[in-house]
Amino acid sequence: EDKVVQSPLSLVVHEGDTVTLNCSYEVTNFRSLLWYKQEKKAPTFLFMLTSSGIEKKSGRLSSILDKKELFSILNITATQTGDSAVYLCAGASNTGKLIFGQGTTLQVKP
Amino acid sequence: DGGITQSPKYLFRKEGQNVTLSCEQNLNHDAMYWYRQDPGQGLRLIYYSQIVNDFQKGDIAEGYSVSREKKESFPLTVTSAQKNPTAFYLCASSIDGQGAGGYTFGSGTRLTVV
């Protein structure tokens, strides 16, 4: 059975801290690993990772995929209160199915 | 602007009633998906459709039904057979059935059974 597991489930940090969110996956016919940020309603897209070992960066956020270990991490440096959200990891199969993890709730305190 | 529109944003239903959630996209995407999100949990796949007039069950299809008569529309019906329908429902689409171009989400419908 396909599954995606995220850790930790929740995290509280202070502004300026660096956080690392973890995602392990077991997805049949794996195609890509996606990260989303969900604040109130619709998840917003952060990264799509298809190749192992290549870091993707967007401002203070970065992510990398390890296809051998079936693992991905999302790093956020110099956290701000606006980073407070639920971060979702999803594994995509080549049939188009997205399998989501439980999400990590991040709270950044001033 | 292209995007996905879900309606209504909030919906209340009495026990024993069927209710239909709307999802419309003008992105010309082939594939569409319905997910359910419960508090403190990730998204779980209900149904998905890779092409018009075809759809497949996801992981939690029991108590739900869908149709895909038009490319831009993928309505979800929550039937009375769904034992615990109170949840947040999200619709998504992707360019093709392989998801190569990523996924776009609607703003969601929050369904409450009263």
Side-chain angles (χ1 to χ4, degrees), chain B residues 1-102:
Chain B
D1 285 336
I4 297 182
T5 301
Q6 288 187 244
S7 60
K9 291 191 186 309
Y10 299 94
L11 190 57
F12 296 89
R13 187 197 94 174
K14 291 184 179 180
E15 281 193 32
Q17 288 181 339
N18 292 355
V19 64
T20 298
L21 282 58
S22 171
C23 179
E24 303 276 333
Q25 54 100 358
N26 60 5
L27 299 165
N28 201 33
H29 284 179
D30 283 330
M32 298 185 74
Y33 311 81
W34 274 106
Y35 289 90
R36 168 182 173 139
Q37 188 174 32
D38 293 284
Q41 296 192 34
L43 281 63
R44 292 184 290 168
L45 182 64
I46 305 172
Y47 268 98
Y48 64 107
S49 167
Q50 295 176 299
I51 198 166
V52 175
N53 292 322
D54 187 40
F55 49 83
Q56 289 78 42
K57 292 182 179 180
D59 301 317
I60 56 167
E62 186 175 349
Y64 299 97
S65 66
V66 293
S67 63
R68 187 85 188 278
E69 297 176 1
K70 298 186 295 182
K71 186 176 185 177
E72 56 271 22
S73 179
F74 192 40
L76 173 74
T77 296
V78 185
T79 74
S80 56
Q82 169 50 236
K83 300 300 180 193
N84 186 21
T86 295
F88 186 54
Y89 291 86
L90 280 163
C91 179
S93 70
S94 61
I95 291 175
D96 59 27
Q98 286 72 47

Side-chain angles (χ1 to χ4, degrees), chain A residues 37-57:
Chain A
K37 178 182 181 182
Q38 186 179 27
E39 294 180 83
K40 294 285 186 183
K41 295 180 179 178
T44 54
F45 173 77
L46 294 175
F47 297 109
M48 177 189 282
L49 304 157
T50 55
S51 300
S52 207
I54 299 175
E55 185 182 49
K56 289 206 171 182
K57 293 195 71 169

Side-chain angles (χ1 to χ4, degrees), chain A residues 6-9 11 19 21-23 34-39 43-44 46-47 60-61 74-76 79-90 100-108, chain B residues 37 42:
Chain A
Q6 293 185 244
S7 65
L9 294 182
L11 195 53
V19 298
L21 309 183
N22 305 303
C23 175
L34 296 95
W35 284 96
Y36 289 88
K37 178 182 181 182
Q38 186 179 27
E39 294 180 83
T44 54
L46 294 175
F47 297 109
R60 296 176 294 102
L61 278 66
L74 174 68
N75 278 321
I76 308 175
T79 53
Q80 302 171 356
T81 55
D83 295 327
S84 296
V86 176
Y87 289 84
L88 296 167
C89 169
F100 281 86
Q102 321 93 300
T104 294
T105 300
L106 173 64
Q107 183 184 357
V108 181
Chain B
Q37 188 174 32

